[in-house]
Amino acid sequence: MKRIGVDVGGTFTDLMYWDEDGAVAVHKVPSTPHDPAVATMDGVRQLSERLGIAVSDLDQFLHGTTVATNIVLEHNGADVGLITTEGFRDILHIARKKRPLNYSSYQDLPWQKWQLVRRRNRRVVPERVDASGAVLVPLDEDAVREQVRVLRDNGVQAIAVCFLHSYRNPAHEQAVKRIIEQEYPEVFVSLSSEVAPQYREYERFSTTALNAFVGPKVSRYVDNLRNTTRAAGVRGEVGLMTSAGGLITARGAVDNPVLLLTSGVVAGLLGGCAIGEASGYPSVITLDVGGTSADIGVAPDGKLRMKHLLDTRIGDYHAMVPMAEVDTIGAGGGSIAFIDEGGMFRVGPRSAGATPGPACYGRGGTEPTSTDAMVALGWLRADSFLSGTMEVEPQLAVKAIDEHVAEKLGTSVSHAAIGIFQIAAHAMTEAISLHSVRKGYDPRDFSLVAEGGAGPLYAWHIAEQLGIPRVIVPHHPGIASAMGLLATDIRSETPATVWTSSADPDLARIAAEFDRLTAHAIAQLGADGLAPEDVVIERSLDCRYIGQGYELRVPAPSGEIDADWVARAAAAFHDVHERTYLQRFDDKPVHLVNVRVTAVGKVGHVPLADVEAGGTDPSAAVKTTTDAVFWTGAGEATPFPTKVYDRALLKAGNVLDGPAIVEQFDSTTVIGPGQRATIDRVGHIVIEIETAAGDRGPALGALEGDQR
C-alpha cells in the first residue's frame, strides 16, 4: 500500500508519502492560488520522481483543501436560488437578530451585505409540516414546478430547498428534488433534510444555502482532482479531510461540499495527536504556523473536541456541521509589520503571502514580515531555506525592517525585529489561552506540538509564557497537516432530533433513531467500499438543561436503551456541563435534543519508527556556530553564540542546550537561551520548559490578562 497525503496551504503545498515497508518521504512546493490542483499534481509528480516510483504506483491519495473555505471568505460562490415554505422567505435575512455591534444603529450586517441568496431568488411554495412530521398543508407541486422554472430563467447555478420541520419528514423536499431533476437537471441541488437533518430553523437554512453556495465550484474542483489523479494512474478513490477530522470520498464531497469547510486546519490537529502519542504525551495543544496564519487546536488525551453550535461558523455565516475545535488567527511567517496611523506597532493580519512574499525572498516584496525579523535576528540563515533550494537575501530583510519600523520608532533593527517576533507570538499566546484556559483546561497539563514551517520558531517562547512544560517538534514539522491526513479514518456523522426529557424519556424513539442512523451510516461507508465488520459505530447526544438555549455534546452510554441508560446519559451531561461552565445541577432534568451516530472506517495509519540512538553528545550534527540575537531579562537585544544543528544528523538521546538552532528541509527550530532539548526515540525534539515547582503563575496570568 503506497499512500500520499497532500495539504494545500496559502503559501505552500505540503506532501507526505508512506508505504507498507515503512518508507516515509516529504516534499513541499509553492501553492498556486489560481488553481490549487496545479501545485498538488506538480508536487505529487516531483515526489514520485524523487522516490523512483510512478504516480500510477500510488494506491491512495488523501487531500486537505481550503477551496470551500476560501469561496465563503471571498464571497465568490454560486448564484443560489432558494425554495422554501410560504411565510419563511426572509429567514436568511433576519437570522438570529444578533448584531456584531450591539449598540450601533448604523452597521453592515455581513449576512445581509453578502447574501447567500438574493431575495429575488428566494421563492416560496404552499406546504407545511408540523414539529411531529405530520403534513398540515400538502405540497403544491404545480407551484414548485413554476418556481423552479423562474429560478432556471434567472440563471441560478444551485438551488437550496429548506422546508419547515423537514428534519422530521423529508418527503416534501424529496418531491421538490425530483421536480428540479425534471425541469433543471444541470443545477446543483442542496436539501436541508440531507445536509443538516436537525432542528434549528435559521442554522439549518444557512447551512443548506452554504452547501449550495460552495457546491458548484467545489464539485468542479473535486471532479477535476479526481479526473487528474485517475489520468495519472492513481489507484483508489480520492479521500478528502472534513471539518470533523475524518475522511470522505470524492463522491461524498461532491454531494455535501459544506463538510469540507475548515478541511485543511483539522489535519494539523490530527497530526499533532499522532505526534504527541508517539512521544508519550497524548494531551496536546497544536500550534501550526504557516506563511499566512496560525492554527490553534487543543486535544485532551489526544481526543478531538467538537465545537459548540454557537461557534460552528465560517466567516460571516452559521454552518451547522460537525467541526473540530480548531481556530485560525492572522499571524504567520508572512504577516506584515507596520506602524499604523495612530503610531501603534502592529503585525498582521495582512500577509505578504506566497507572492511577493517576505522582503528577504527577493520577489519584489518591500514590507517587513515575521520571516524577515527572524532573518535579521540570525535565526533563519540565508542557506537554510528549503535546504538551500530557495534563495534568501538577508540585506533586504534588514532594509525593510529599518525603513518601515526601526526608523519610525527610533530604535535599532535588532530591537524592531524582536518586537515583530514578540507581537506575533503574543497573538498566538492569547489564542491558546482562549481555547484552553477559558474552556476549562490548564495548558500546563498539555504539551505544545510545534507544526508548520514557522511553528518551531515560535513555540519555545510561547510555552515559556504559558508555563507549558514541554514543546514537541516532530520530525517533519512543516508537513504535519499532510501527516494528519495519513493518520485519520473515514468518518460519516448523521444527526437526528429526538426532543425528549430524562424525566419522561421516549425510549422507543431514541432507540429507533439510533438504529436508523446506524444503518444509514454503515450503508454510507459501504458505498465507499468498506465492509460492515470494518466499521466502528460511535454514538453521542446533544443535551441541555430544560430552559437552556443551546446544547453540549455528550458521549452516549453503551448498552440497551432503558431507564438506566437515560440516567447514565444525564450523569454524563452533568459532568460535561460542569467542565464547561463550572456548575452542575444534578437535581434538574436533562433535555435530550439530538442523537448522533458516527461511523468510523479504520484505515492504516502511518507508524512512527524508532530512530538510531546516538548517546547524549550531538556534536556530530553541528553545522556551524553563529551569533543569533535574543533578549536578556532587561529586554536588551544581545548576540548569543548559537550552535546550528543539522536535523538529519541528530540521533535519539542527543541533548541540545540553548540557545540552539536546528535546520531541516521544511522548517527551522529555535531552542531558547537556558532551555534544554532531547531527541526522543522516534526522532522528535522535546524541549523542556523550566517552571518553578507548583508554580501556577504563567497560565493564570494569561487568563487574568484576558479578563482585564
Side-chain angles (χ1 to χ4, degrees):
M1 172 77 69
K2 293 178 173 60
R3 308 169 67 205
I4 194 165
V6 183
D7 178 68
V8 179
T11 306
F12 288 102
T13 294
D14 303 330
L15 303 95
M16 186 171 191
Y17 166 88
W18 171 81
D19 65 26
E20 68 276 8
D21 296 326
V24 176
V26 300
H27 192 50
K28 207 175 185 78
V29 296
S31 294
T32 50
H34 67 283
D35 184 357
V38 173
T40 296
M41 293 312 299
D42 283 349
V44 170
R45 282 188 285 268
Q46 292 171 20
L47 183 54
S48 298
E49 289 174 7
R50 201 178 89 203
L51 292 168
I53 64 172
V55 174
S56 57
D57 292 334
L58 296 172
D59 298 293
Q60 199 171 41
F61 184 98
L62 308 177
H63 186 43
T65 176
T66 57
V67 169
T69 303
N70 291 342
I71 290 170
V72 176
L73 298 180
E74 295 168 11
H75 307 291
N76 61 2
D79 195 358
V80 180
L82 172 71
I83 295 177
T84 189
T85 309
E86 276 187 333
F88 292 84
R89 182 181 189 183
D90 294 318
I91 289 296
L92 288 173
H93 184 84
I94 297 169
R96 285 285 178 187
K97 296 171 64 177
K98 175 79 174 171
R99 299 295 186 263
L101 304 172
N102 288 334
Y103 301 105
S104 173
S105 299
Y106 304 96
Q107 60 178 302
D108 284 326
L109 303 180
W111 58 88
Q112 294 177 3
K113 182 177 181 179
W114 293 289
Q115 301 177 66
L116 291 172
V117 187
R118 291 182 295 174
R119 197 170 195 273
R120 65 192 294 264
N121 290 332
R122 301 200 295 262
R123 318 301 298 183
V124 299
V125 297
E127 75 85 39
R128 192 63 177 263
V129 173
D130 69 12
S132 69
V135 176
L136 303 179
V137 178
L139 177 68
D140 187 333
E141 295 195 2
D142 290 335
V144 171
R145 202 170 297 275
E146 178 183 347
Q147 297 301 341
V148 171
R149 291 170 180 168
V150 169
L151 293 175
R152 181 189 61 195
D153 294 342
N154 287 350
V156 301
Q157 300 159 306
I159 297 177
V161 183
C162 304
F163 288 150
L164 202 65
H165 300 304
S166 61
Y167 60 89
R168 290 302 310 275
N169 183 350
H172 287 178
E173 289 193 354
Q174 292 168 350
V176 172
K177 184 176 184 178
R178 290 193 293 270
I179 293 171
I180 293 173
E181 289 171 347
Q182 296 167 9
E183 297 289 338
Y184 197 4
E186 64 270 28
V187 78
F188 183 92
V189 180
S190 177
L191 303 186
S192 74
S193 53
E194 294 177 351
V195 176
Q198 57 186 311
Y199 108 104
R200 287 197 184 280
E201 189 177 281
Y202 164 65
E203 287 80 5
R204 185 162 52 87
F205 276 55
S206 175
T207 306
T208 308
L210 268 174
N211 195 62
F213 187 69
V214 303
K217 283 190 175 182
V218 171
S219 297
R220 286 194 295 271
Y221 173 77
V222 173
D223 282 337
N224 178 48
L225 184 65
R226 179 166 52 181
N227 294 336
T228 302
T229 56
R230 283 179 177 173
V234 176
R235 298 189 289 267
E237 182 66 280
V238 172
L240 295 107
M241 177 65 71
T242 70
S243 59
L247 295 171
I248 56 173
T249 61
R251 175 190 59 81
V254 168
D255 291 341
N256 281 311
V258 73
L259 295 176
L260 298 184
L261 296 173
T262 72
S263 162
V265 299
V266 178
L269 177 55
L270 287 165
C273 292
I275 289 159
E277 182 179 3
S279 288
Y281 303 105
S283 292
V284 298
I285 296 172
T286 56
L287 174 69
D288 188 348
V289 187
T292 306
S293 59
D295 303 320
I296 311 296
V298 178
D301 297 320
K303 306 296 184 183
L304 268 63
R305 295 185 300 157
M306 292 295 112
K307 284 188 176 182
H308 190 282
L309 177 65
L310 285 173
D311 299 325
T312 54
R313 302 173 64 94
I314 183 69
D316 303 313
Y317 311 102
H318 271 93
M320 196 164 57
V321 294
M323 287 189 183
E325 186 76 70
V326 183
D327 281 282
T328 301
I329 62 172
S335 295
I336 293 172
F338 62 101
I339 309 300
D340 68 14
E341 294 178 354
M344 294 292 291
F345 188 2
R346 299 184 182 277
V347 180
R350 191 164 57 92
S351 174
T355 304
C360 64
Y361 285 8
R363 295 176 177 172
T366 58
E367 297 180 280
T369 66
S370 295
T371 296
D372 292 308
M374 295 179 192
V375 169
L377 292 171
W379 302 357
L380 294 174
R381 301 185 311 124
D383 60 354
S384 69
F385 274 74
L386 298 183
S387 296
T389 61
M390 186 172 182
E391 189 173 330
V392 172
E393 302 178 55
Q395 70 275 13
L396 295 180
V398 171
K399 180 181 177 183
I401 295 170
D402 192 29
E403 290 182 357
H404 292 274
V405 178
E407 285 186 4
K408 294 181 179 180
L409 295 177
T411 189
S412 68
V413 169
S414 293
H415 271 105
I418 288 172
I420 292 171
F421 171 80
Q422 290 185 333
I423 291 171
H426 179 73
M428 300 174 200
T429 302
E430 290 295 294
I432 292 174
S433 175
L434 176 66
H435 296 292
S436 58
V437 180
R438 288 190 179 183
K439 297 193 176 181
Y441 295 97
D442 190 331
R444 288 157 296 189
D445 297 331
F446 291 75
S447 298
L448 182 63
V449 178
E451 302 175 351
L457 290 159
Y458 285 99
W460 68 275
H461 176 68
I462 291 170
E464 278 190 344
Q465 297 302 299
L466 288 169
I468 297 174
R470 72 191 59 81
V471 172
I472 303 173
V473 183
H475 202 61
H476 301 291
I479 316 291
S481 290
M483 178 186 173
L485 292 166
L486 299 176
T488 190
D489 302 304
I490 297 174
R491 299 176 71 90
S492 174
E493 179 178 303
T494 310
T497 299
V498 293
W499 203 265
T500 189
S501 167
S502 63
D504 184 23
D506 189 340
L507 300 176
R509 184 167 171 205
I510 295 173
E513 288 292 7
F514 269 134
D515 290 343
R516 180 180 69 82
L517 295 180
T518 299
H520 174 76
I522 292 174
Q524 285 283 93
L525 268 62
D528 294 333
L530 290 170
E533 59 269 21
D534 296 328
V535 177
V536 175
I537 296 298
E538 299 174 353
R539 304 189 304 181
S540 59
L541 301 161
D542 295 342
C543 301
R544 65 191 187 190
Y545 290 117
I546 293 182
Q548 284 186 315
Y550 292 92
E551 304 81 46
L552 294 173
R553 182 178 291 212
V554 179
S558 58
E560 183 181 354
I561 297 175
D562 52 18
D564 177 65
W565 183 92
V566 172
R568 286 185 286 131
F573 170 72
H574 296 314
D575 292 341
V576 172
H577 193 278
E578 184 176 32
R579 155 72 74 178
T580 306
Y581 300 117
L582 300 180
Q583 294 188 52
R584 61 187 296 142
F585 306 95
D586 294 276
D587 59 332
K588 301 296 182 183
V590 174
H591 192 181
L592 283 64
V593 179
N594 300 315
V595 296
R596 296 179 182 274
V597 166
T598 303
V600 182
K602 297 293 183 180
V603 297
H605 295 175
V606 177
L608 296 178
D610 289 358
V611 298
E612 181 183 354
T616 59
D617 183 10
S619 58
V622 175
K623 296 171 70 174
T624 187
T625 299
T626 187
D627 282 338
V629 177
F630 293 89
W631 51 95
T632 63
E636 293 296 324
T638 304
F640 282 77
T642 303
K643 289 183 179 179
V644 179
Y645 295 90
D646 184 341
R647 179 77 184 262
L649 300 179
L650 290 171
K651 294 180 171 56
N654 285 176
V655 176
L656 286 63
D657 290 316
I661 294 170
V662 182
E663 296 178 345
Q664 61 190 99
F665 171 77
D666 56 314
S667 186
T668 296
T669 300
V670 171
I671 302 163
Q675 296 179 347
R676 170 166 285 189
T678 303
I679 310 303
D680 71 8
R681 65 173 186 83
V682 293
H684 296 161
I685 301 173
V686 181
I687 307 172
E688 298 296 336
I689 308 299
E690 286 192 12
T691 55
D695 178 19
R696 308 301 282 179
L700 294 181
L703 175 60
E704 290 165 2
D706 289 340
Q707 292 174 329
R708 286 195 296 269

